[in-house]
Amino acid sequence: MDTLSPLDTAFLDAEDADRHVSMAIASVAVVEGPVPGHAEFVDAVAPRLHAVRRTQQRLHRLPFDLGRPVWIDTGAFDADYHIRRTALPAPGDDLALCALVGRVMGQRMDRDRPLWELWVIEGLAGNRWAMLLKLHHSFADGVSAAQLYNALFDAHAGPPAAPDRTVEQPRGLAELVRAVSDLPMNPLGGLRMLVPVLRAPGALARRAGEVLDGLGRMAEVLAPVAPSTLSGPIGQPRRYAVARASLADMRRVGVAFGVTVNDVALTAISMAFRELLQYRGEQPGAHTMRALVPVSVRAGDRLDNQVSVMLPMLPVELGDPVMALREVHQRMVALKNGNEAAAGQAATDLAGLEPSALISLFVRLAARLPQRNIVTVTTNVPGSPRELAVVGRRILEIFPYVPIAVRLRTGVAVLSYCDRISFGITADFDSSPDIWLFAGAVERAVAELTEAARGSAVRA
């Protein structure tokens, strides 16, 4: 049995705390050519999925949360349940596709089964169809999900490995013994924790200093933001919209102004939030828009969550996109130098040393509190640099989906694929009927920055 990490478990607890929340992530692929028949699609995709052990595992929580949840092997791969098919109404455009994605992603997954679904979506205009891979966030983070996607649909990949058919069932008392042995008061556990201290005390001291510095800075910035319609209670239904940009254009902007592609993406998102607030008759201010930005700390190929966070204030008060870009870059550099990501990772690691029942209770209580510190989540995931395919058909575009919770009414995921960048925008249905205005504003901001970069090159 695989034990969930504290961060994996936190996504379950956050979902448990609010009946309106579904903590699932997704990728939406637009595929060229006629839609394959169901049997043809299953025959092509099922062997690769079957080779991923997590697709045959379900969650099991220990009694009284005496230990973190575990993944239990079911020994079954139920393609008939997990691989699904639906169709879009005419005219099969972006609006129809995104409306369907919002409906699918607003629904919670059945925890008595493996936490994944793969939808084939017929009826997309222009001789195209779509494919939606939905995973619970406890299953994977954005980076590992993208890696899984690449492995499933890389036409150049070799045949899938043989599936592991080992079956383990919950073992009652044996699980409780194991859970108790993992608690920090266990003598052997304490000795294991001391090993790195004895081996490298100097490095540990430096690390501790960085973490304390980062925690102090995070505490400083977590003051409440100015109230706006971007925060508040959320319902169960979701809206979803997409924006597109050229990866080459965004790289040119980065080179022209000495910033990263992530800085360019965050700036486009900042300008879009500014336009959205103005459209709603609200004044964007310097203390309006704090974002939670996940940072990958991935050190292996496990299908779990290996992320920390940074908490920049997005410069929605600035109307000039170039000024906003420079401000975003400066703020991100300051946060990186301030060890925020190291502090976030350390906090997650320390959670693994506390009794699981207390950590789960804390997360559930915190998720119910009306937090006023963070307004949105923005995540940037590197996708495949080369073209993927499924059932011999080219994947033309891939859009990401990020869930929202704890009063965050809007979230934005950014994904690169070949020479393109896509922005997947998730929003609460009732409070965000203007989500497509936001998507258009993202594209306009990238275009303005691209034009400014060309002007900068001409002047140089």
Side-chain angles (χ1 to χ4, degrees), residues 111-235:
R111 291 196 192 171
D112 291 332
R113 297 177 180 270
L115 294 177
W116 66 277
E117 298 168 6
L118 180 58
W119 291 74
V120 172
I121 303 169
E122 302 180 19
L124 203 58
N127 191 34
R128 298 171 304 156
W129 53 285
M131 181 173 60
L132 186 155
L133 178 61
K134 178 179 178 181
L135 310 170
H136 196 278
H137 217 327
S138 62
F139 187 118
D141 62 17
V143 172
S144 58
Q147 292 172 347
L148 172 63
Y149 210 86
N150 297 347
L152 291 175
F153 304 119
D154 188 345
H156 302 283
D164 186 338
R165 299 186 182 278
T166 304
V167 179
E168 294 190 54
Q169 297 298 332
R171 292 175 291 179
L173 181 60
E175 289 182 328
L176 297 180
V177 172
R178 172 181 172 177
V180 172
S181 72
D182 284 340
L183 296 178
M185 67 283 292
N186 177 271
L188 294 179
L191 288 175
R192 287 195 294 270
M193 290 161 54
L194 285 174
V195 170
V197 179
L198 297 174
R199 285 181 176 172
L204 186 67
R206 287 191 297 274
R207 174 70 170 173
E210 293 175 356
V211 168
L212 289 173
D213 178 59
L215 287 172
R217 292 174 184 270
M218 290 178 76
E220 289 175 9
V221 303
L222 275 178
V225 297
S228 75
T229 56
L230 297 172
S231 296
I234 61 176

Side-chain angles (χ1 to χ4, degrees), residues 85-336:
R85 183 168 290 238
T86 188
L88 299 177
D93 55 9
D94 278 357
L95 289 174
L97 175 61
C98 289
L100 176 63
V101 171
R103 286 195 296 273
V104 170
M105 298 306 298
Q107 302 298 319
R108 290 190 175 191
M109 307 180 82
D110 182 356
R111 291 196 192 171
D112 291 332
R113 297 177 180 270
L115 294 177
W116 66 277
E117 298 168 6
L118 180 58
W119 291 74
V120 172
I121 303 169
E122 302 180 19
L124 203 58
N127 191 34
R128 298 171 304 156
W129 53 285
M131 181 173 60
L132 186 155
L133 178 61
K134 178 179 178 181
L135 310 170
H136 196 278
H137 217 327
S138 62
F139 187 118
D141 62 17
V143 172
S144 58
Q147 292 172 347
L148 172 63
Y149 210 86
N150 297 347
L152 291 175
F153 304 119
D154 188 345
H156 302 283
D164 186 338
R165 299 186 182 278
T166 304
V167 179
E168 294 190 54
Q169 297 298 332
R171 292 175 291 179
L173 181 60
E175 289 182 328
L176 297 180
V177 172
R178 172 181 172 177
V180 172
S181 72
D182 284 340
L183 296 178
M185 67 283 292
N186 177 271
L188 294 179
L191 288 175
R192 287 195 294 270
M193 290 161 54
L194 285 174
V195 170
V197 179
L198 297 174
R199 285 181 176 172
L204 186 67
R206 287 191 297 274
R207 174 70 170 173
E210 293 175 356
V211 168
L212 289 173
D213 178 59
L215 287 172
R217 292 174 184 270
M218 290 178 76
E220 289 175 9
V221 303
L222 275 178
V225 297
S228 75
T229 56
L230 297 172
S231 296
I234 61 176
Q236 178 266 326
R238 296 288 174 263
R239 293 186 191 269
Y240 181 69
V242 297
R244 301 170 172 89
S246 161
L247 179 57
D249 283 348
M250 294 181 68
R251 283 174 172 162
R252 287 190 198 99
V253 174
V255 170
F257 295 105
V259 302
T260 67
V261 169
N262 187 58
D263 292 335
V264 180
L266 277 176
T267 303
I269 292 167
S270 301
M271 302 307 292
F273 274 120
R274 173 184 171 81
E275 187 170 328
L276 184 63
L277 286 166
Q278 291 178 324
Y279 176 79
R280 294 178 178 180
E282 301 174 57
Q283 181 59 43
H287 302 286
T288 300
M289 199 76 219
R290 181 179 291 114
L292 186 152
V293 179
V295 178
S296 177
V297 292
R298 182 159 296 280
D301 57 0
R302 282 176 52 89
L303 273 176
D304 60 359
N305 287 271
Q306 298 182 41
V307 295
S308 184
V309 297
M310 291 193 291
L311 301 167
M313 193 74 79
L314 300 184
V316 293
E317 72 277 12
L318 300 177
D320 183 288
V322 175
M323 290 179 60
L325 176 62
R326 290 180 172 134
E327 189 63 29
V328 164
H329 177 68
Q330 290 174 6
R331 293 180 187 184
M332 293 302 291
V333 168
L335 291 176
K336 291 171 186 175

